[in-house]
Amino acid sequence: ATTRFLHQVRQGKLMGQRCPGCGNVYAPARGSCAACGLPTTEEVELGNKATVQSFTIVWIPIPNNPIQPPYVVANLVPDGANISFIHLMSECDNEAVHIGQRVQAVWKPEDEWGYAMDNIRYFRPIDEPDVPIDMIGKVPASGWEGRA
């Protein structure tokens, strides 16, 4: 599952896998559902947008890390998925980052892509309405407005 996921990232796509039991969509793909234990084989193409589920501002330098503090690391739920992954945020006022905020992937130039999540340099805030906290991860696609 991880190999398939990274091959898709190498092609500039974020892919998830849907559980046939509970319907959760995992990104990156794990090969099985953590909740049901069932194999996840149905692939789902995800968008380049996501919602901030949680975050932290890193203030302490990490040895050999080229990124200098302060910077934001966030758990992001990509559009089309229910489960978050961790990635960097940038092009933002760190103090203004908040749960429910909408963000979009900023990809490296295609000639720099490899088989890794760092093909996405970071996620940056976009001008879209926040997702209510109780809706994050419950509606696996953008367009949550008006849904119960």
Side-chain angles (χ1 to χ4, degrees):
T2 302
T3 300
R4 284 195 312 269
F5 175 78
L6 293 175
H7 277 275
Q8 294 292 336
V9 168
R10 173 68 179 90
Q11 296 175 21
K13 295 180 186 177
L14 285 178
M15 299 295 290
Q17 287 184 337
R18 184 184 325 275
C19 173
C22 67
N24 280 342
V25 175
Y26 291 86
R30 298 175 183 165
S32 65
C33 177
C36 300
L38 296 173
T40 53
T41 56
E42 179 190 349
E43 293 198 344
V44 178
E45 188 166 355
L46 307 174
N48 281 314
K49 296 179 181 179
T51 303
V52 175
Q53 184 177 50
S54 64
F55 68 94
T56 189
I57 301 173
V58 178
W59 293 93
I60 300 170
I62 298 171
N64 301 317
N65 186 349
I67 303 167
Q68 295 302 308
Y71 58 91
V72 175
V73 176
N75 283 306
L76 305 171
V77 179
D79 287 0
N82 306 90
I83 310 299
S84 66
F85 60 76
I86 297 173
H87 214 292
L88 295 171
M89 286 185 59
S90 192
E91 292 187 44
C92 58
D93 172 1
N94 292 349
E95 302 298 326
V97 173
H98 56 277
I99 295 171
Q101 187 172 24
R102 299 286 292 148
V103 295
Q104 184 166 12
V106 176
W107 291 76
K108 290 180 179 178
E110 188 173 349
D111 63 345
E112 296 178 25
W113 289 352
Y115 297 96
M117 276 298 285
D118 70 355
N119 289 351
I120 299 174
R121 288 186 194 268
Y122 53 81
F123 283 77
R124 65 175 175 78
I126 54 176
D127 188 21
E128 288 188 2
D130 290 353
V131 174
I133 292 171
D134 62 340
M135 296 298 290
I136 298 170
K138 291 186 180 173
V139 178
S142 61
W144 55 264
E145 298 91 341
R147 295 187 185 185

